[in-house]
Structures are given as structure tokens and as C-alpha cells.
């Protein structure tokens, strides 16, 4: 599962920069960047907040891209 890629893809689809998403969540842009690079896993609460800010369901952040499975 690639939460970071899913967050990045949904953020781009929403037309937001990392800074804009971070502002909506009241966190640093650096935290968003670390989540998107999979250097930091978001807490469950943060995952729900990200999903709400991006207008999607939390399950979408956890979805596995089956083309990535070998």
C-alpha cells in the first residue's frame, strides 16, 4: 500500500499544493511532503483529516494499486 502516492495523487487531482493542503490541516508543508514520500505514516486521525480535506473516503488513501503488485 502506498499511502503517500495516494495522498499526492488526490491532492494533485484537487488542484492543491502541499502548502495549501498543509494550511487546511494546520500542519507544516514539510509534514505533507514526508507523508507523500512515505517517510512518515499519518496517524489514523491525520488520515481522516487528509481525506476530508481532499473530499474522499479514508479507504481511498489505503487503496492498493493492483498494477503495483508483482
Amino acid at each position: 500500500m502506498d499511502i503517500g502516492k495516494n495522498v499526492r495523487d488526490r491532492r494533485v487531482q484537487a488542484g492543491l499544493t502541499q502548502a495549501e493542503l498543509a494550511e487546511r490541516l494546520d500542519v507544516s508543508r514539510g509534514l505533507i511532503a514526508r507523508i507523500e514520500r512515505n517517510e512518515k505514516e499519518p496517524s489514523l486521525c491525520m488520515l481522516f483529516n487528509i481525506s476530508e480535506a481532499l473530499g474522499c473516503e479514508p479507504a481511498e488513501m489505503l487503496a492498493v494499486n493492483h498494477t503495483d503488485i508483482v
Side-chain angles (χ1 to χ4, degrees):
M1 145 174 44
D2 192 344
I3 295 172
K5 181 181 183 317
N6 293 340
V7 170
R8 181 179 55 248
D9 290 349
R10 293 295 285 180
R11 175 183 58 76
V12 170
Q13 287 175 0
L16 296 172
T17 65
Q18 287 179 343
E20 290 168 333
L21 178 57
E23 185 175 324
R24 287 185 182 194
L25 298 171
D26 197 28
V27 299
S28 71
R29 187 207 59 80
L31 176 60
I32 299 301
R34 290 182 64 211
I35 290 171
E36 289 185 359
R37 290 191 308 260
N38 291 309
E39 294 175 0
K40 172 103 173 111
E41 285 193 20
S43 67
L44 187 57
C45 182
M46 177 60 71
L47 186 66
F48 274 83
N49 291 340
I50 291 170
S51 298
E52 184 177 343
L54 295 176
C56 64
E57 294 296 320
E60 292 178 56
M61 297 292 108
L62 302 173
V64 174
N65 182 348
H66 295 288
T67 60
D68 292 339
I69 299 174
V70 178

